[in-house]
Amino acid sequence: MSRSFGVDLRGIIELLSQHLYSSPRVYIRELLQNATDAITARDGGPARIVLEPAEHTGDGTLRISDSGIGLTEDEVHTLVSTLGRTSKRDELGFARQGFLGQFGVGLLSCFLVAEEIHLVSRSAKGGPAVRWTAGASGTYEVVADDSARAEIGTTVTLVPRRDAEHWLQHDMVAALAREFGELLPAEVLVGTERIAQPRLPWLRPSDEPYDAYVERLAGYCERTFGFRPFDVLPLEIPAAGLTGAAFVMPDTAHPGSRQAHRVYLKRMLVGDSVEGLLPDWAYFVRCAVNSSALRPTASRESLYQDEALLGVRDELGTVLKDWLVRLGATEPDRASALLAKHQLGMKSVALVDDDLLRLVEHWLPFETTDGYVTLRQFRRRHNSILFTPDVDEFRQLAPVAQAQGLGLLNAGYAYDSELMRRVAEVDGAVATRRVVPSELLAAMDRPDPVVEDQLRMSLRLARTVLERHDCDAVPREFDPISLPALLITDANRERQRDNAEISEHSDPLWAELLGRLAEPESTASQQLVLNTRNPLVRRLSELTDRTLAELTVESLYVHALLQSRRPMRPKDTAALNRSFLDLLDRAVRR
Ligand SMILES: Nc1ncnc2c1ncn2[C@@H]1O[C@H](COP(=O)(O)OP(=O)(O)OP(=O)(O)O)[C@@H](O)[C@H]1O
């Protein structure tokens, strides 16, 4: 007698195909999963799954037979014919240990490729064999037929949907069975070809030398992820029934790139681009793992975000961190090569992890006025780290700082300034300090009073010219001599505050100097520091042509602005054009 599922089956199939499963290919996974679970439930019986694709059955159908526990007629009614019913949960609805399935909808995925499903089964519990036939239209039939099957187990036959015939053909079935079921703990055959290999590739047989093991895993990584790993780490978390391997990528990876791990749950593939297994900072590591305790989402294509997954993520993060610290201690050259490639990730972890902070201090080179050196080397030379939080500011201040014998570090790249703050938190406030531009000003000498006097008129003129740029002119003697002027953007109020800050940390001489520098009458937001050692600046006082003197001052301002690499405002561009073209005009006319 034909019965109805009592639901709109076509609607459900459409729901599954469009919103749950990414592709019809998952039907093979669901069939393999049911066969494996049935074998597990039989406990101790033969473990054999045979897939016969269309070329083998000869009638376009696919047959999959297992030596599992089978189904009685009653079970076919209650379990197979009732959507959402499953034998793989206990009375309280918890997933039963050892089984892959849990939702009671997997068999329906066969309707993504099949018009009809035939199931013939004989139960290990006894009773006659039973035949179940269901159509995608939503009807099914159950018939007890003792002659349908002699051995205990189940055979499912799929009659293809129109246009889905290719899903049931040999090459497709073999490829999918290999992908999903390669590690299943049963003998899996497609036709006569054996698919499953019982050994998890990352487990090391007791007689395998460690080097050969690492080499074998490197080959596995190349085949699976497409890169030869920088290093291979075996993984084991007994509490999560997890074993596997982590592969460190040899080249720069993007910190924002998606994690893509190959994950098996109870030896069935979940996917090869599964996310969420490692902390975000470990973006340069790929894992292949099998776990018996983590849970899949309903689609079985990703991991369910629960406490167990969070625990695993933390533990794997610790394993990777320990490895990094060990590498730094035992193989410093390799550690620094790795750090150089994965700087961003390392820096981001170092912000929250002191072990990694030490590693970064030891091995990561930073741009400084001493060239590329590590934080540790820099601190050894200068006691504390004076840094700029901005690359442009570093470019502008480095030559001046260098000439004054001050060590300056470029902390203008991602995470650098935060790292400096972290070092100060861990090692005390004096360990690192942000440079304030006026600090450099403080390190420069005031000009000789005679020179200052000679330049008095020029300075007055310069202040008048620069007023329209909201800029003050300040004379100082500094190196390098070749640099005529340095532009310091430092709003007055901000400067006062910075000065107060420096006074707290500096010796009394500096504090006094800074006190003198806090010229209260100046409210300009910028200062053009004119280098009184520079010949061009010196010659300013000799100019009798006022217009030429004004043009020269404006050119010095624009030049210093360009040097500072700050954005040009329209009025700056106008000044650049005016001064450059007028000077050119004068030169040509002469
Ligand atoms: N090959 C089989 N041998 C024995 N029982 C089977 C077989 N295939 C399906 N069943 C029974 O039918 C039930 C429903 O199967 P279905 O694949 O729809 O869901 P499930 O495997 O329980 O859960 P999931 O939706 O997570 O796959 C199973 O719980 C199982 O009891």
Side-chain angles (χ1 to χ4, degrees):
M1 188 184 69
S2 171
R3 297 164 195 253
S4 163
F5 279 105
V7 291
D8 174 10
L9 196 59
R10 288 208 188 274
I12 291 187
I13 295 165
E14 195 172 312
L15 187 80
L16 293 182
S17 86
Q18 293 188 5
H19 299 288
L20 191 64
Y21 300 126
S22 61
S23 149
R25 66 214 293 275
V26 300
Y27 86 93
I28 284 279
R29 183 190 67 201
E30 296 299 326
L31 286 171
L32 283 172
Q33 181 171 301
N34 282 343
T36 307
D37 283 344
I39 288 169
T40 308
R42 192 167 173 191
D43 197 18
R48 193 175 156 91
I49 303 169
V50 182
L51 293 120
E52 294 166 276
E55 291 89 333
H56 299 257
T57 56
D59 57 5
T61 64
L62 166 84
R63 239 184 348 246
I64 170 167
S65 308
D66 66 66
S67 57
I69 192 165
L71 291 154
T72 63
E73 187 180 345
D74 279 355
E75 286 169 342
V76 169
H77 278 292
T78 52
L79 297 171
V80 186
S81 311
T82 315
L83 304 189
R85 285 297 287 274
T86 173
S87 55
K88 302 163 193 174
R89 283 178 178 272
D90 60 22
E91 306 72 50
L92 298 173
F94 289 110
R96 281 170 58 190
Q97 275 285 326
F99 292 113
L100 291 157
Q102 51 177 306
F103 301 110
V105 295
L107 200 57
L108 284 188
S109 69
C110 293
F111 283 124
L112 299 178
V113 297
E115 193 53 44
E116 271 175 38
I117 304 175
H118 299 259
L119 179 147
V120 176
S121 190
R122 179 178 287 278
S123 172
K125 297 172 190 163
V130 59
R131 192 185 283 283
W132 176 83
T133 309
S137 58
T139 56
Y140 72 90
E141 215 172 66
V142 185
V143 184
D145 176 0
D146 206 39
S147 63
R149 184 185 170 100
E151 323 81 57
I152 291 168
T154 303
T155 297
V156 175
T157 306
L158 304 187
V159 180
R161 273 165 75 144
R162 224 171 343 125
D163 303 331
E165 288 87 354
H166 64 286
W167 287 109
L168 310 189
Q169 282 170 358
H170 181 275
D171 290 353
M172 177 68 82
V173 172
L176 294 177
R178 207 173 289 120
E179 181 182 345
F180 288 114
E182 192 179 35
L183 299 182
L184 285 177
E187 185 184 14
V188 181
L189 298 165
V190 175
T192 50
E193 184 191 349
R194 191 181 296 265
I195 296 293
Q197 53 144 27
R199 199 184 61 175
L200 296 174
W202 45 82
L203 295 187
R204 181 178 161 211
S206 52
D207 58 349
E208 187 176 31
Y210 190 74
D211 286 353
Y213 167 64
V214 169
E215 185 51 38
R216 184 167 60 75
L217 279 189
Y220 172 83
C221 176
E222 257 183 308
R223 286 191 304 282
T224 309
F225 296 113
F227 66 85
R228 192 150 182 89
F230 172 88
D231 214 342
V232 175
L233 283 85
L235 303 173
E236 190 174 1
I237 304 179
L242 183 141
T243 61
F247 303 98
V248 181
M249 294 168 78
D251 301 314
T252 315
H254 193 276
S257 62
R258 284 176 61 237
Q259 288 188 26
H261 306 294
R262 190 170 180 85
V263 174
Y264 293 83
L265 292 184
K266 297 172 187 158
R267 292 172 160 258
M268 170 71 84
L269 182 76
V270 172
D272 52 14
S273 50
V274 175
E275 297 189 306
L277 194 66
L278 293 184
D280 289 343
W281 59 260
Y283 63 88
F284 53 91
V285 179
R286 296 270 174 278
C287 293
V289 299
N290 176 53
S291 163
S292 57
L294 294 177
R295 288 198 291 153
T297 55
S299 70
R300 284 205 132 259
E301 291 170 20
S302 49
L303 291 172
Y304 187 68
Q305 302 270 344
D306 58 6
E307 289 289 317
L309 182 59
L310 287 180
V312 163
R313 194 181 306 166
D314 279 357
E315 281 211 39
L316 292 180
T318 307
V319 169
L320 287 172
K321 244 167 29 200
D322 289 350
W323 166 78
L324 273 170
V325 174
R326 232 179 14 252
L327 189 73
T330 56
E331 296 180 74
D333 290 347
R334 288 191 80 213
S336 72
L338 179 78
L339 281 165
K341 279 184 182 146
H342 301 298
Q343 292 203 24
L344 277 185
M346 305 281 170
K347 284 180 181 174
S348 71
V349 202
L351 291 180
V352 289
D353 187 288
D354 293 350
D355 291 337
L356 255 151
L357 184 68
R358 293 290 170 238
L359 208 71
V360 163
E361 273 187 315
H362 249 90
W363 304 116
L364 215 63
F366 281 75
E367 185 182 13
T368 74
T369 41
D370 300 349
Y372 279 87
V373 295
T374 64
L375 294 181
R376 174 159 288 226
Q377 289 167 325
F378 192 76
R379 262 174 90 175
R380 212 176 289 138
R381 286 182 211 169
H382 300 280
N383 290 327
S384 78
I385 299 174
L386 194 63
F387 66 91
T388 65
D390 181 283
V391 178
D392 287 342
E393 193 174 271
F394 179 79
R395 300 265 171 274
Q396 184 202 12
L397 300 184
V400 184
Q402 200 166 23
Q404 313 324 301
L406 283 176
L408 193 63
L409 182 137
N410 181 3
Y413 297 111
Y415 301 120
D416 287 353
S417 297
E418 292 92 324
L419 266 180
M420 294 302 118
R421 267 194 290 280
R422 186 78 196 123
V423 171
E425 269 169 32
V426 176
D427 293 347
V430 287
T432 70
R433 191 159 48 80
R434 188 206 147 147
V435 71
V436 279
S438 48
E439 187 166 357
L440 284 178
L441 203 58
M444 297 167 185
D445 292 330
R446 284 200 161 225
D448 183 286
V450 181
V451 176
E452 191 161 5
D453 201 47
Q454 279 168 1
L455 285 171
R456 200 151 30 89
M457 294 306 288
S458 327
L459 265 174
R460 193 173 298 160
L461 175 119
R463 285 189 176 122
T464 316
V465 172
L466 294 175
E467 216 170 8
R468 70 175 90 115
H469 296 289
D470 191 19
C471 183
D472 190 16
V474 183
R476 287 289 181 276
E477 266 186 13
F478 62 89
D479 284 322
I481 282 184
S482 56
L483 190 68
L486 176 73
L487 189 67
I488 291 180
T489 302
D490 207 2
N492 200 40
R493 258 177 259 116
E494 198 181 4
R495 193 167 61 238
Q496 306 279 345
R497 203 188 56 216
D498 289 341
N499 287 351
E501 227 178 73
I502 301 164
S503 312
E504 278 174 28
H505 300 299
S506 320
D507 61 40
L509 183 68
W510 276 51
E512 198 204 341
L513 257 170
L514 289 169
R516 273 199 272 137
L517 277 166
E519 289 144 311
E521 70 276 9
S522 170
T523 55
S525 66
Q526 307 180 91
Q527 288 177 304
L528 187 69
V529 188
L530 292 166
N531 186 0
T532 52
R533 283 203 183 126
N534 179 271
L536 179 62
V537 173
R538 286 274 182 104
R539 238 174 280 141
L540 263 180
S541 62
E542 295 160 19
L543 290 178
T544 48
D545 181 341
R546 187 178 165 91
T547 318
L548 180 61
E550 285 175 359
L551 274 176
T552 309
V553 169
E554 196 155 45
S555 301
L556 287 174
Y557 167 76
V558 180
H559 176 254
L561 181 64
L562 286 172
Q563 289 267 58
S564 75
R565 302 189 199 201
R566 263 181 238 127
M568 302 275 282
R569 296 166 299 183
K571 109 169 146 186
D572 299 326
T573 315
L576 170 69
N577 289 336
R578 191 171 49 235
S579 55
F580 177 71
L581 291 176
D582 284 3
L583 282 174
L584 200 63
D585 186 49
R586 278 168 173 269
V588 172
R589 253 194 284 148
R590 194 180 279 176

